[in-house]
Amino acid sequence: MRANGGVGGAGSGRPATAVVAALMLCMALVALDSTIVATAVPQIVGDLGGFSVFSWLFSGYLLAVTVTLPVYGKLSDTLGRKPVLLFGIALFLVGSLLCAAAWNMAALIAFRIVQGLGGGALQSTVQTLAADLYPLKDRPRIQARMSGVWAASSVAGPVLGGLLAAYAHWRWIFLINLPLAALARWMVGRHLVEPVRSRGGRGPVDWAGALAVFACGGVLLFALVQGGVSWPWLSAPSLGLLAASAVLAAVVVRVERRAAEPVLPGWVWRRRTLAAVNLAMGVFGLLTVAPMVFMPTYAQAVLGLGPIGAGFVMSVMTLSWPLSAALSQHLYRRIGFRDTAVVGISLAAAILYAFTLLPHPARPWQPALVMLLLGGALGLFQLPLIIGVQSTVGWAERGTTTASVLFCRQVGQSVGAALLAAVANATLADRLAGVPGLPDGLDDVSKALDRPGLLPPAAADHLRAAVAAAVDHIFLGAAAACLVALLILLLLAPRTFPVLPEQREG
C-alpha cells in the first residue's frame, strides 16, 4: 500500500505500524484529557481549593485546543507534519508535567491551557496525517480507527480519572501522560519520514495572522463558555466580549488579506465544497452536545441509574459510530460523499426525534437503543465529509483544510453547549415555577436529585418529569439542527465532490 502524500515508515512505501500506533496514541491522549478531570474535581478542589473557578479546568483546555487548530493546520502545510506533531507532543508532555506539579487552582488552570496548546497540534496533525498516509480507498479504515479511539477514550476518561483519584492521587491523571506521550514522540521521531521539501516555495510564516486568529477565537469562545453562567447573556460582559470578537474578526480579515501565506486563507470559504462541509460540521458539533452532555443527566436523574449504568447508556454510541464509519465507504463509493452524509444526517434527525417519543419513565434499554442507532447515523455523516473534503486538496493545503473542519466542529460544540443549556434552563424554569420547594436551575436540579429522599415523593416525581421534558426539548433542538445541516448539504455542497485525480488512485 503506497503512502499517499509522501510520508510513511522509514525505508518503506507503506505506513509503518509504529507510526499508526503513535497517531492513535496521540488521539487517545487528546480525547482522554478532555474528560479525565471531570470525576476527580472533588479531590482536586479539596487539595487546591478554587471551587468557584474549577470549570476552567475543562474550558481552558478546550479553548486552547480549539483556537490553535487553524494555526497548527497552516504550520503543518508550511513546515511539514512531523515537526508540528513533535512540537505538539513535547508541549503536551510539558503541560502534563506542570499540571502534576501545580500548587494551586490558578496554576493548574494555566498549565491545563499549556496542555491544550499542545493538544491542538496533536488533534489537527494526526487527522491530516491519516489522510497523508493512506490512499482514498483505504482511508475509511484508519479514520474509523481514529474515531473509535476518540470515542472510547472520551467515555473512558471519567472512569479512569475517578479510579486514579480514588485509589492513587489526582496528580496521576497527568503523570500517566508522561510515558505515553514520550513513547508517542519517540515512535513519530524514529518512524515517520517526510520528503525533504524545498524552502524556496514557502512564504514567510504568518505569525501576525496566527496571533489575530488566536485572539479572535479565544475571545469568542470565552464569551460562549461564560455567557449564561458567570453573567447573563444580555449583560455588559457578554455583549462586550461578543463585540470585541467581532472587531477582532475584522482584524483577522484585514491581516489575512495582506499576508503572503495566511493562516486562515480566503479559499477556505470561497470553495463551495469546503465552505459547505465547514458549515455542516459546525452544526454537527452543535447537535452532538445533546447526547454527549445531557444523556448522562437524563440517565441518572430520570431513569435513576448510577454512574456506571449512565455510562453504559452513553457508551453504546461509541460501538456503532466507528463501525458505521468504517462501512460508510461501501455507500459513498456508490452514491457519493454528499449523499452518504445526507442519509446519515436524515437518519440522525429521525432518531433524535424518536427519543422524545419514549414513554416516561423509559426503560434503560430504550434510550440505549436510541444512542446505538444515533452513533451509526452520525458515523455515516461525519466520516464521508472529512474524507471527501480532504480528497479535494493536495498535500500543501490538507493541513489547513482539516484544521478548518475541526475548528468549525469545536466552535459548534461551544455554541451548542450554550444554546442547549439555555433551552434546558428555560424548560425547567417553566415547569418548576410556582412549585414550592423545587429548584428552577439545571445545577440546582442536579443537586436536588442527588438527594431525592429530602423531597416529598410527589415533588421528586414532578422534578424528574421536568428534567425529562427539558431533555426532550434539547433533543428536539438537536433534531432541528440536523435539518439545518441537511439543508446546507443539499443547497451548498456539490453532489459530486471534486476529488483530485491523484486521490482516486490506489
Side-chain angles (χ1 to χ4, degrees), residues 10-104:
S12 74
R14 60 189 302 167
T17 301
V19 173
V20 177
L23 298 184
M24 296 176 71
L25 183 55
C26 289
M27 185 65 74
L29 286 170
V30 179
L32 273 174
D33 273 71
S34 300
T35 59
I36 196 171
V37 176
T39 47
V41 165
Q43 290 82 1
I44 294 174
V45 171
D47 195 6
L48 301 181
F51 179 80
S52 62
V53 294
F54 80 85
S55 64
W56 274 97
L57 292 176
F58 319 102
S59 301
Y61 175 85
L62 293 175
L63 188 151
V65 168
T66 302
V67 299
T68 54
L69 285 171
V71 177
Y72 287 127
K74 182 60 180 179
L75 287 177
S76 76
D77 285 342
T78 304
L79 305 176
R81 323 294 189 215
K82 185 173 181 176
V84 173
L85 184 57
L86 290 175
F87 172 79
I89 296 173
L91 191 57
F92 185 88
L93 195 155
V94 170
S96 298
L97 181 61
L98 291 173
C99 285
W103 53 90
N104 58 32

Side-chain angles (χ1 to χ4, degrees), residues 36-189:
I36 196 171
V37 176
T39 47
V41 165
Q43 290 82 1
I44 294 174
V45 171
D47 195 6
L48 301 181
F51 179 80
S52 62
V53 294
F54 80 85
S55 64
W56 274 97
L57 292 176
F58 319 102
S59 301
Y61 175 85
L62 293 175
L63 188 151
V65 168
T66 302
V67 299
T68 54
L69 285 171
V71 177
Y72 287 127
K74 182 60 180 179
L75 287 177
S76 76
D77 285 342
T78 304
L79 305 176
R81 323 294 189 215
K82 185 173 181 176
V84 173
L85 184 57
L86 290 175
F87 172 79
I89 296 173
L91 191 57
F92 185 88
L93 195 155
V94 170
S96 298
L97 181 61
L98 291 173
C99 285
W103 53 90
N104 58 32
M105 185 61 75
L108 182 57
I109 291 171
F111 299 148
R112 281 282 284 171
I113 292 174
V114 174
Q115 252 194 329
L117 295 176
L122 270 62
Q123 186 173 342
S124 174
T125 313
V126 164
Q127 290 278 21
T128 305
L129 274 168
D132 289 343
L133 287 167
Y134 288 86
L136 180 58
K137 72 182 184 67
D138 296 318
R139 208 167 290 161
R141 183 173 58 184
I142 184 63
Q143 290 285 12
R145 289 179 186 174
M146 295 297 176
S147 297
V149 168
W150 181 274
S153 300
S154 297
V155 172
V159 177
L160 180 59
L163 290 173
L164 289 173
Y167 296 103
H169 194 277
W170 65 261
R171 297 184 189 273
W172 278 100
I173 290 172
F174 305 107
L175 290 173
I176 197 174
N177 290 335
L178 303 185
L180 298 178
L183 176 62
R185 196 174 192 280
W186 178 81
M187 289 192 294
V188 169

Side-chain angles (χ1 to χ4, degrees), residues 379-452:
L380 288 177
F381 173 76
Q382 181 192 29
L383 191 61
L385 290 183
I386 292 177
I387 291 177
V389 79
Q390 287 179 330
S391 302
T392 65
V393 297
W395 186 97
E397 295 179 339
R398 194 173 294 142
T400 300
T401 297
T402 304
S404 71
V405 172
L406 297 177
F407 177 76
C408 289
R409 186 184 68 185
Q410 295 283 94
V411 172
Q413 287 180 337
S414 298
V415 173
L419 288 178
L420 295 181
V423 170
N425 278 320
T427 303
L428 288 171
D430 178 66
R431 296 299 177 99
L432 301 179
V435 181
L438 287 181
D440 58 1
L442 200 59
D443 292 336
D444 293 332
V445 165
S446 299
K447 294 175 184 177
L449 287 169
D450 283 340
R451 299 178 180 178

Side-chain angles (χ1 to χ4, degrees), residues 119-483:
L122 270 62
Q123 186 173 342
S124 174
T125 313
V126 164
Q127 290 278 21
T128 305
L129 274 168
D132 289 343
L133 287 167
Y134 288 86
L136 180 58
K137 72 182 184 67
D138 296 318
R139 208 167 290 161
R141 183 173 58 184
I142 184 63
Q143 290 285 12
R145 289 179 186 174
M146 295 297 176
S147 297
V149 168
W150 181 274
S153 300
S154 297
V155 172
V159 177
L160 180 59
L163 290 173
L164 289 173
Y167 296 103
H169 194 277
W170 65 261
R171 297 184 189 273
W172 278 100
I173 290 172
F174 305 107
L175 290 173
I176 197 174
N177 290 335
L178 303 185
L180 298 178
L183 176 62
R185 196 174 192 280
W186 178 81
M187 289 192 294
V188 169
R190 181 175 177 83
H191 296 284
L192 178 61
V193 178
E194 288 189 291
V196 177
R197 298 180 182 272
S198 171
R199 286 189 170 270
R202 298 176 183 172
V205 176
D206 179 24
W207 294 115
L211 180 61
V213 169
F214 187 89
C216 179
V219 172
L220 175 60
L221 290 176
F222 184 76
L224 294 173
V225 168
Q226 294 298 97
V229 178
S230 298
W231 45 70
W233 280 109
L234 296 179
S235 65
S238 278
L239 296 177
L241 286 170
L242 292 173
S245 65
V247 171
L248 287 170
V251 172
V252 169
V253 172
R254 183 177 179 85
V255 170
E256 296 298 78
R257 281 181 173 176
R258 296 183 173 185
E261 292 288 342
V263 167
L264 206 60
W267 56 259
V268 168
W269 294 106
R270 286 195 299 269
R271 295 180 187 176
R272 180 182 171 191
T273 304
L274 183 51
V277 171
N278 279 341
L279 291 173
M281 290 299 289
V283 178
F284 169 80
L286 186 155
L287 69 90
T288 56
V289 171
M292 291 183 175
V293 174
F294 293 97
M295 179 56 77
T297 298
Y298 173 85
Q300 295 185 67
V302 179
L303 303 183
L305 300 178
I308 295 178
F312 172 77
V313 172
M314 174 68 206
S315 64
V316 292
M317 186 170 72
T318 67
L319 302 177
S320 56
W321 191 321
L323 180 61
S324 71
L327 297 176
S328 67
Q329 60 178 313
H330 301 293
L331 188 57
Y332 69 63
R333 284 176 179 171
R334 290 172 178 258
I335 65 175
F337 294 112
R338 189 203 72 167
D339 288 349
T340 302
V342 164
V343 170
I345 203 65
S346 300
L347 290 173
I351 293 164
L352 287 165
Y353 177 73
F355 175 85
T356 68
L357 304 179
L358 295 180
H360 176 73
R363 296 183 178 181
W365 68 266
Q366 293 171 320
L369 178 60
V370 169
M371 296 297 286
L372 185 70
L373 296 174
L374 182 62
L378 294 179
L380 288 177
F381 173 76
Q382 181 192 29
L383 191 61
L385 290 183
I386 292 177
I387 291 177
V389 79
Q390 287 179 330
S391 302
T392 65
V393 297
W395 186 97
E397 295 179 339
R398 194 173 294 142
T400 300
T401 297
T402 304
S404 71
V405 172
L406 297 177
F407 177 76
C408 289
R409 186 184 68 185
Q410 295 283 94
V411 172
Q413 287 180 337
S414 298
V415 173
L419 288 178
L420 295 181
V423 170
N425 278 320
T427 303
L428 288 171
D430 178 66
R431 296 299 177 99
L432 301 179
V435 181
L438 287 181
D440 58 1
L442 200 59
D443 292 336
D444 293 332
V445 165
S446 299
K447 294 175 184 177
L449 287 169
D450 283 340
R451 299 178 180 178
L454 300 180
L455 296 174
D461 289 342
H462 188 88
L463 184 56
R464 290 189 183 93
V467 173
V471 177
D472 281 349
H473 290 174
I474 288 167
F475 272 67
L476 279 176
C482 288
L483 298 180

